Amino acid sequence: MPYGCLPLVAFFGLLILLPIFLADIMLTALSRLGLSPGVSMCAALGIFLGSMINIPVKRIPRTQVLESPTLGMFGFERMFPDRVRRTPYTVIAVNFGGCVVPVMIVIYELIRISFYGVTDLFLTAVAVAINVVACYHMARPIPKVGIAMPALVPGLLAALCGIVFHQELAPIIAFCAGVLGPLIGADLLHLNEIKKINTSVASIGGAGTFDGIVISGLLATLLAY
């Protein structure tokens, strides 16, 4: 072995540095939304930790019995894959980190935009509408997963809209479009298709941190700066 333990050390080094790198990117994006360092840190922690929490909001009765992870609502299904329960329904849930926290930030940003004037609010609505339509047509129901779509395309489209519509408010407009596009276009408008796929839990916001909603919003914010 010419390199000895070097590959192993490099692997663990990357394993340690990757979360730090991702956290730095997230904090940078949040700071560009006008959030203070303290609020940005709280939002980042809410996204990371909240990604483990799915809040049930509705049950859809099914004719067949479906298997679901016993600890799926708390994000530990991968740690305990053998712990399953059988239910005659599909649970519609909202992910706290992947949906609730980003939407709360969007509401705050929309309030900020409203102080700039009706025109800026209208341009933001147009950017959101464009992304909603695009996400609606790109989203597809996947058995045992839910509604899935390309993670990067909504963010790129939202960033482009932000830059074209208003350069000064580009990061804010891009974030709003990047979050609401996948949320409305991919998740909410495709809820009826959940009945057609074999899944016991459909989570709006998915796994949270790396779900399309968060990736789209943060990517759009960084690119539109």
Side-chain angles (χ1 to χ4, degrees):
M1 295 181 62
Y3 297 103
C5 297
L6 185 59
L8 188 61
V9 172
F11 171 77
F12 283 106
L14 289 174
L15 203 62
I16 295 172
L17 293 176
L18 183 59
I20 299 175
F21 175 71
L22 293 175
D24 183 64
I25 291 177
M26 184 176 295
L27 290 174
T28 300
L30 292 173
S31 67
R32 291 176 179 175
L33 296 174
L35 303 180
S36 66
V39 174
S40 296
M41 180 63 72
C42 290
L45 288 175
I47 291 173
F48 272 117
L49 300 179
S51 66
M52 297 186 294
I53 302 173
N54 287 315
I55 305 170
V57 294
K58 184 180 180 180
R59 290 182 179 181
I60 299 177
R62 306 298 293 262
T63 55
Q64 74 272 38
V65 176
L66 304 174
E67 290 188 352
S68 63
T70 304
L71 301 176
M73 288 297 164
F74 303 99
F76 298 122
E77 64 272 16
R78 294 182 181 178
M79 298 175 61
F80 305 97
D82 296 331
R83 300 196 176 191
V84 297
R85 62 179 178 180
R86 293 171 175 81
T87 57
Y89 53 79
T90 293
V91 176
I92 304 297
V94 174
N95 187 271
F96 187 81
C99 181
V100 176
V101 175
V103 169
M104 290 173 63
I105 298 174
V106 165
I107 293 173
Y108 169 73
E109 298 300 336
L110 289 176
I111 294 174
R112 288 185 62 205
I113 293 175
S114 67
F115 289 110
Y116 284 85
V118 178
T119 301
D120 299 315
L121 202 57
F122 174 74
L123 291 175
T124 304
V126 173
V128 170
I130 291 174
N131 226 22
V132 166
V133 172
C135 291
Y136 175 79
H137 289 289
M138 288 188 293
R140 295 288 183 272
I142 305 296
K144 297 185 178 181
V145 174
I147 304 299
M149 63 174 295
L152 300 181
V153 176
L156 295 173
L157 180 58
L160 180 62
C161 289
I163 294 171
V164 171
F165 290 162
H166 199 306
Q167 290 191 353
E168 183 183 351
L169 299 178
I172 299 176
I173 294 176
F175 181 82
C176 293
V179 169
L180 296 181
L183 173 60
I184 299 173
D187 289 335
L188 297 183
L189 294 182
H190 283 276
L191 276 182
N192 288 334
E193 297 185 30
I194 294 296
K195 300 176 182 179
K196 304 176 184 178
I197 58 179
N198 183 25
T199 182
S200 57
V201 178
S203 176
I204 300 175
T209 307
F210 301 104
D211 180 74
I213 293 175
V214 174
I215 290 178
S216 177
L218 297 179
L219 176 64
T221 304
L222 291 170
L223 293 178
Y225 186 70

